[in-house]
Amino acid sequence: MANTLRLEKYSIGVGDRFAREAEAQLRACQLAVAQGADVIPVWNKSNREHLIIGSDPATARVTADRAVRALGWDKPYHVDADHIRLETVDRFIPHADFFTIDVADWIGRPAEASAIRSFVQRHSELAGTEIPEIDPPLRTTVGQVKLAAAKYLLAVREAGRIHRHITRARAGQAFITEVSMDETELPQAPVELLVILAALADEGIPVQAIAPKFTGRFNKGVDYAGDVERFEKEFREDLSVIALATARYALPPNLKLSVHSGSDKFSIYPAIRRSLEKTGAGLHLKTAGTTWLAELIGLAESGGAGLDLVKDVYAAALARRMEFCEPYAAVIDIDPALLPGAETVRLWDAEQFVSALRHDNANPHYNPHLRQLLHVGFKAAAAMGTRYLDALEMCRDSVARNVTDNLFHQHLRPVFLFSENGRRAMNPA
């Protein structure tokens, strides 16, 4: 398709809050390739994050390009304008080649009755559709199609408006489109996802990744909270709907699921891997903030000034907890009573701090409340300016090692490699 870059089968969204870890992240992808899994990096950063850090989209492109040159990466890579909307997209257009269009705010706004009637008439095939691999078997009804159209048509229409704006502004430069519908209250049922994909085809959007809402809690920086079996069932159903929609509509054949807030969701990674193995489907896994936490662990492990700095970050995050948590209220669960006091943390040695922060469910000292607070507390580090950035360079070996190890061993290996020891990797073809 014109103006469309092809997104590879397996890709991982890698956030880099302070634009210092691109090489360490890319090394993790190189390790995956060496073990047989071609997983390409997509550096993603949202407008909100840029505003908090004081960075700009050009920086994300420069750091990604620099890392690729330094490590001799010869496979595709991309820079994602993450969760953009019409009012925020323009500053990303010269620098990104992957656009995650976020239309969550439009979900549930009822479309006009004439638009719903027109959609249902145009897509008479939707009523009575049997979706394969659904248990119990599902045959869609006219009523279900109408309800789904009423709920999602305006959101899809907005996605079309944003996509056309990007296309015009890029003036022939190709790009990848993802559509995000995950930041909403309820997961999409199979018939709803099918209606969404039909409507996206109507809008002429060559969507290559779709981010639906799944059951359960996808809290920032910690494990999945919910029914893993139910998640796996939903994931398989969504893959079936995508296979049906790509065969039926003019959608890219490589359209795949995108799992947002996917970092550290260790309990569902086996379910995702099983589904990919069985179906041969692709996946985009977004892991944004886990790299920032790996930076903190690397600083703490270094001891001395690095450890002192992360204690200061924690103290500032604790003091400004309400402010830092408010924008992320829907994706964190922090019990203030389980947060250690700043003076208690001041007395910790490096091992104590790392044990509390590192995501290790087997460690009795691991504290997911502290971890979530620090996940959203990067504004405290941003306020330190060069002190924080200088510390990252002073502790470069420890920080880079933790970033690479976390991304490869905790994320790439369990999702994209068949076996735990990595001897048999997924076929990327």
Side-chain angles (χ1 to χ4, degrees), residues 295-304 306-307 310 349-351 353-354 357:
E295 281 185 342
L296 293 181
I297 290 170
L299 290 170
E301 279 190 343
S302 299
L307 179 59
V310 295
D349 59 21
E351 182 180 358
F353 197 101
V354 170
L357 178 56

Side-chain angles (χ1 to χ4, degrees), residues 330-380:
V331 285
I332 54 175
D333 282 317
I334 297 174
D335 184 344
L338 297 178
L339 292 170
E343 293 310 310
T344 297
V345 172
R346 290 282 179 202
L347 300 176
W348 287 355
D349 59 21
E351 182 180 358
Q352 288 173 299
F353 197 101
V354 170
S355 291
L357 178 56
R358 193 189 299 280
H359 191 171
D360 180 0
N361 292 320
N363 187 335
H365 302 294
Y366 165 56
N367 187 328
H369 306 276
L370 174 144
R371 184 174 171 87
Q372 288 178 89
L373 178 61
L374 284 171
H375 191 289
V376 302
F378 62 94
K379 192 172 184 178

Side-chain angles (χ1 to χ4, degrees), residues 2-67:
N3 290 89
T4 301
L5 284 176
R6 184 181 184 277
L7 179 60
E8 299 300 303
K9 185 173 185 177
Y10 303 127
S11 52
I12 187 162
V14 286
D16 190 6
R17 298 255 195 268
F18 295 95
R20 293 296 189 275
E21 309 308 331
E23 287 189 30
Q25 293 168 326
L26 190 55
R27 285 192 193 97
C29 292
Q30 288 180 318
L31 289 172
V33 170
Q35 295 199 11
D38 286 0
V39 186
I40 68 158
V42 179
W43 278 278
N44 49 262
K45 200 166 187 178
S46 67
N47 188 64
R48 176 171 64 184
E49 194 173 316
H50 278 301
L51 293 176
I52 291 173
I53 297 295
S55 58
D56 61 76
T59 305
R61 168 58 66 184
V62 168
T63 54
D65 290 347
R66 185 184 298 135

Side-chain angles (χ1 to χ4, degrees), residues 121-311:
Q121 291 169 0
R122 186 166 61 252
H123 288 289
S124 58
E125 80 286 349
L126 284 170
T129 293
E130 288 188 3
I131 301 177
E133 304 296 328
I134 301 290
D135 184 24
L138 174 64
R139 179 184 287 269
T140 61
T141 67
V142 173
Q144 289 173 324
V145 173
K146 286 181 178 178
L147 286 173
K151 186 175 181 180
Y152 291 102
L153 276 186
L154 286 188
V156 173
R157 187 183 299 170
E158 179 66 9
R161 193 161 70 114
I162 297 169
H163 181 266
R164 289 187 290 274
H165 176 83
I166 297 168
T167 300
R168 288 192 298 269
R170 298 243 337 147
Q173 290 182 293
F175 62 97
I176 292 162
T177 304
E178 173 178 309
V179 175
S180 167
M181 295 195 173
D182 64 305
E183 294 190 355
T184 186
E185 186 176 352
L186 297 173
Q188 286 87 31
V191 64
E192 292 177 319
L193 182 58
L194 183 59
V195 166
I196 289 167
L197 293 175
L200 288 170
D202 285 353
E203 287 288 332
I205 302 174
V207 57
Q208 295 184 64
I210 183 81
K213 167 76 172 177
F214 294 105
T215 291
R217 296 280 295 182
F218 284 74
N219 289 334
K220 297 290 186 180
V222 294
D223 207 347
Y224 173 78
D227 184 333
V228 175
E229 289 186 4
R230 184 176 176 188
F231 167 83
E232 185 167 8
K233 181 176 183 293
E234 287 183 0
F235 193 85
R236 290 277 182 93
E237 290 174 349
D238 286 348
L239 291 179
S240 295
V241 171
I242 287 174
L244 175 62
T246 54
R248 177 181 284 180
Y249 304 111
L251 292 169
N254 63 324
L255 171 61
K256 59 185 179 179
L257 283 176
S258 179
V259 179
H260 284 199
S261 295
S263 62
D264 297 274
K265 304 303 179 285
F266 303 149
S267 62
I268 62 172
Y269 289 168
I272 292 174
R273 188 179 66 240
R274 285 192 296 270
S275 297
L276 300 186
E277 288 179 296
K278 181 178 180 180
T279 64
L283 177 73
H284 183 57
L285 180 72
K286 282 199 172 181
T287 64
T290 195
T291 285
W292 142 250
L293 295 174
E295 281 185 342
L296 293 181
I297 290 170
L299 290 170
E301 279 190 343
S302 299
L307 179 59
D308 289 341
L309 184 145
V310 295
K311 290 177 180 179

